Amino acid sequence: DSLAIVNLTINNTTQSITNITRCNNQLPYNWNGTNYNVAGSYTFTTTNAAGCDSLAIVDLTITNVTQSTTNITRCNNQLPYNWNGTNYNAAGSYTFTTTNAAGCDSLAIVNLTITNTTQNTTNITRCNNQLPYNWNGTNYNTAGSYTFTTTNAAGCDSLAIVNLTVTNTTQSTTNVTRCSNQLPYNWNGTNYNATGTYTFTTTNAASCDSLAIVNLTINNTTQSITNITRCNNQLPYNWNGTNYNAAGAYTFTTTNAAGCDSLAIVNLTVTSTSQSTTTITRCYNQLPFNWNGTNYNAAGLYTFSTTNSAGCDSLAIVNLTITFPTSSTTTIIICSNELPYLWNGQSITVGGTHTVTLVNHNGCDSIATLQLTVNQTPPKPQVISNQTICQNAVSQPLTATGSYPLLWYTSPTGGVGSSIPPVPSTNIPGIYHFYVSQINGNCESPRNEIIIRIVRKPVLGNDVEQHICFGTNFNLNSVYNTGNQNIVWTFNNTVVANPSSINTSGNYQLVLTNSFGCYDTAIVNLIVQPKLTANAGPDDIAIYNEPYQLHGAGFNHYLWSPASVLNNPTTANPIAVLTDDTQFVLTISDDYGCSDQDTVFIRVLRGPSIYIPNAFTPNGDGLNDNFKPTYVGIQRLDYFRVFDRYGVLVFETNNMGKAWDGLYKSMKQNAGNFVYIVKGIDKYGKEKVLKGNVLLIR
């Protein structure tokens, strides 16, 4: 018999209750490190000295603060306002704190509003002829400040004040005398033409009547007239100290006895001397010129005097102009291709000085001279007419050969030439025309044409990065569409002999050339992916219908099959629940589709149990080289021991991962039977012990 005895002691839990009351303005209430904001029963559990629960309970009661609010309005002339023993002089909200029956704050609040007395002041001005002035039912006859008191909408005093000012009317009188020729007389916007007394009423600075009175007196003017005739060569005519040079009525004004104008008028008539002017032009070789019996040899104005019918001078004037032979010289520079040169009816074929005598507009001789310079016209320059350039190639300035400076054009005629050779643009394929000439001074040769053909460049496209799997080949010719054009593949500056089958990482350059010699290049960066080696782990044993974890390795993409018994077939270490022996296939792959496979065989054993082989062959061939039990559902190994036939302990371990390799003290043991004993505890806590024999085979 085995007797198991238990001595059972029962300890009690403990409990304490505390009643707490708090005002709501004292929240939160902190108890044992926790804040509480509402009334209730709260429990805090600890362990007492006996090791049992100790319950601390607090019953929390929340009482409220109380508050009352009173609204008070006072006029500012009723201040200060006394409330709870304190005087207040300004509007605002005031609080008086006491304690209510619950022991919490009781707040009495007064909202004090201050309303103001109002006052309105009016300034009134009245003329003395507008008195009395009536205001609020009372007549006032003198200037002063008067007050009328009422009550405003707020119930406070409202004072109405009037400041009364009394102003007087004014009057002025003016005596004015005017002559009759000064009429009308304008006064304050009104015209007056007769003697009399006139009144104008306005408003003075005090806004009262202001009377302006004028006494107007009218006096008369006097006048005398005299007629005078004079020849114009007797001018000026002096009258009363003034010179007059033209006919007209002139007035001399003095003052008569009445103080008004006295007018003396003279009517001046001017009779003219007569004059005739004749313009005569003579050539220098027609002198002397005879006029009225006198010979003249020089240009000038000449006068002959007589008397006209009015008794005044009559002047005959001749304006004599002498003209001389004229000459002109013209300098002309032409090119040799402009000969013959036509000038004044002459056809001139050589340079030099040429003269012709003509008649000028005055009828005199005019000698014209031509200084003609003939410059040589250069021939057109020599060029390479047809040129071919590849698209987007670096273009050089155009060239031409000649003995004179060159001018470049973009059209066969017209336009403005440039001394800078053009650089053809190679951006757009097509045929472009340029023109060039030579220039000698102002003489320009005919233009010669240069035709530039921009040939379209082959276009391969962007460089390519290509990944292949380890151990496979790649066809470079499958990357670009090259048509029937000439292609060359190079690798490290060496021509690739067989571009359809390559397997070395690196940059491969393609050069594509068309029939015009234009080319494009592209690079294929070939990357050979590292070799993948799948590792599904060693064959192993699983417990029947219990989770078993597989252990895969190799890369980052995994796929196990069969997948139906796995929780996740795409992870490295999925969990399997097996009821039969199963072989799993692990497929690993990279991001470019490269893959490898490995298999693992999982034998399913029922447990908990210990399975032990009956023989092993420690010969180093990798098969059954060790003697090791298979632990199924064993939680702990107490020992695994092996004895020889003489009872000598040759191996011992408590590590379930270790095995006997057939050695004892580093010495190989002879073939034969050995005794083993294994003791362990399974997952249910039961002891498992196995004994038996194993055969060592060499």
Side-chain angles (χ1 to χ4, degrees), residues 420-451:
I420 301 174
V423 179
S425 172
T426 62
N427 293 335
I428 302 175
I431 297 176
Y432 301 90
H433 300 268
F434 299 89
Y435 303 88
V436 62
S437 66
Q438 295 189 84
I439 185 167
N440 177 22
N442 292 326
C443 300
E444 186 175 0
S445 72
R447 301 178 188 180
N448 207 349
E449 182 180 26
I450 300 177
I451 300 175

Side-chain angles (χ1 to χ4, degrees), residues 176-338:
V176 174
T177 299
R178 288 292 183 270
C179 298
S180 57
N181 62 342
Q182 296 173 322
L183 297 178
Y185 169 68
N186 186 283
W187 183 62
N188 289 313
T190 301
N191 290 329
Y192 299 94
N193 288 285
T195 298
T197 297
Y198 303 99
T199 301
F200 179 73
T201 302
T202 62
T203 301
N204 60 19
S207 299
C208 293
D209 289 345
S210 176
L211 304 178
I213 300 171
V214 65
N215 295 317
L216 179 61
T217 301
I218 306 299
N219 294 324
N220 293 322
T221 61
T222 56
Q223 178 177 304
S224 65
I225 298 174
T226 304
N227 295 313
I228 299 293
T229 300
R230 289 290 185 273
C231 294
N232 57 1
N233 61 345
Q234 295 172 327
L235 299 178
Y237 169 68
N238 186 282
W239 182 62
N240 286 316
T242 300
N243 289 328
Y244 299 94
N245 286 288
Y250 300 98
T251 302
F252 179 74
T253 304
T254 62
T255 303
N256 60 20
C260 291
D261 289 345
S262 176
L263 305 178
I265 299 172
V266 64
N267 291 321
L268 178 61
T269 300
V270 178
T271 56
S272 300
T273 60
S274 56
Q275 179 178 308
S276 64
T277 301
T278 304
T279 299
I280 297 295
T281 301
R282 288 293 182 269
C283 295
Y284 181 78
N285 58 351
Q286 294 173 331
L287 296 178
F289 169 66
N290 186 280
W291 180 62
N292 287 315
T294 302
N295 287 327
Y296 299 95
N297 285 289
L301 286 173
Y302 301 99
T303 303
F304 180 75
S305 297
T306 62
T307 301
N308 61 18
S309 58
C312 295
D313 290 342
S314 176
L315 304 178
I317 300 171
V318 65
N319 183 12
L320 178 60
T321 301
I322 306 300
T323 60
F324 295 88
T326 57
S327 64
S328 64
T329 300
T330 304
T331 299
I332 297 293
I333 300 174
I334 64 171
C335 300
S336 59
N337 62 342
E338 295 177 303

Side-chain angles (χ1 to χ4, degrees), residues 46-66:
T46 61
T47 303
N48 59 21
C52 295
D53 286 347
S54 175
L55 305 179
I57 300 172
V58 64
D59 290 325
L60 178 62
T61 302
I62 307 299
T63 58
N64 294 323
V65 298
T66 57

